[in-house]
Amino acid sequence: MEAPNYIILTLVSVLFGIARYFFKDLHRKFMQSEKKSEDLHDKVVKLEGKVERLDEKMPSEIANLEKVMDLKFEQFNKQFEELTKAIRHAERTMTNQAEAFVKLLQEVRK
């Protein structure tokens, strides 16, 4: 009778060993997935913080860009006005010189 008990105990021990191995592996994988979940949660929290900072920062940067664009437009307008004045001055000078040249030609023909 001892042999069948020994065989049954051995089989039960082996079955418990196999079940233990699978439960241990299942527990290890569960702990790894839980750690990954915590890591992902931490990353999400960090990203949410960055997004909030960007949301706070964007309006001020947009306002700064608008100011820079306004200043650039003002500078462009001033340069355009100066260029217009220079062109008008050159036009008047050339007109005066052309009139003087025409008068000179008329005097030479006389």
Side-chain angles (χ1 to χ4, degrees), residues 22-36:
F22 285 113
F23 281 120
K24 186 177 178 181
D25 187 52
L26 182 66
H27 181 261
R28 181 181 56 83
K29 288 181 180 178
F30 175 75
M31 295 304 286
Q32 285 176 347
S33 68
E34 194 171 273
K35 181 168 174 29
K36 287 180 183 178

Side-chain angles (χ1 to χ4, degrees), residues 10 25 27 48 50 53 65 71-73 78 106:
T10 304
D25 187 52
H27 181 261
E48 285 174 347
K50 287 181 181 179
R53 284 192 304 273
L65 284 174
L71 290 173
K72 290 289 183 182
F73 281 131
K78 287 179 184 177
Q106 288 174 352

Side-chain angles (χ1 to χ4, degrees), residues 50-68:
K50 287 181 181 179
V51 166
E52 287 175 5
R53 284 192 304 273
L54 284 174
D55 285 343
E56 292 169 0
K57 194 177 187 182
M58 287 301 290
S60 65
E61 289 199 10
I62 290 173
N64 288 341
L65 284 174
E66 287 175 348
K67 288 178 186 175
V68 168

Side-chain angles (χ1 to χ4, degrees), residues 2-109:
E2 242 179 82
N5 284 340
Y6 178 73
I7 292 173
I8 291 174
L9 283 175
T10 304
L11 284 174
V12 168
S13 296
V14 168
L15 287 175
F16 275 124
I18 291 171
R20 180 179 171 266
Y21 170 78
F22 285 113
F23 281 120
K24 186 177 178 181
D25 187 52
L26 182 66
H27 181 261
R28 181 181 56 83
K29 288 181 180 178
F30 175 75
M31 295 304 286
Q32 285 176 347
S33 68
E34 194 171 273
K35 181 168 174 29
K36 287 180 183 178
S37 175
E38 288 174 3
D39 291 344
L40 284 174
H41 177 71
D42 292 343
K43 288 180 182 178
V44 166
V45 168
K46 287 179 184 177
L47 287 173
E48 285 174 347
K50 287 181 181 179
V51 166
E52 287 175 5
R53 284 192 304 273
L54 284 174
D55 285 343
E56 292 169 0
K57 194 177 187 182
M58 287 301 290
S60 65
E61 289 199 10
I62 290 173
N64 288 341
L65 284 174
E66 287 175 348
K67 288 178 186 175
V68 168
M69 287 179 60
D70 288 341
L71 290 173
K72 290 289 183 182
F73 281 131
E74 286 177 19
Q75 183 181 11
F76 174 75
N77 284 336
K78 287 179 184 177
Q79 289 175 347
F80 187 74
E81 287 174 7
E82 290 173 4
L83 180 62
T84 303
K85 287 178 185 177
I87 290 173
R88 287 184 181 149
H89 177 72
E91 182 182 20
R92 281 192 303 264
T93 304
M94 291 176 74
T95 302
N96 291 338
Q97 288 177 354
E99 288 173 357
F101 183 70
V102 168
K103 286 181 184 178
L104 183 64
L105 281 177
Q106 288 174 352
E107 287 181 15
V108 169
R109 286 188 186 164

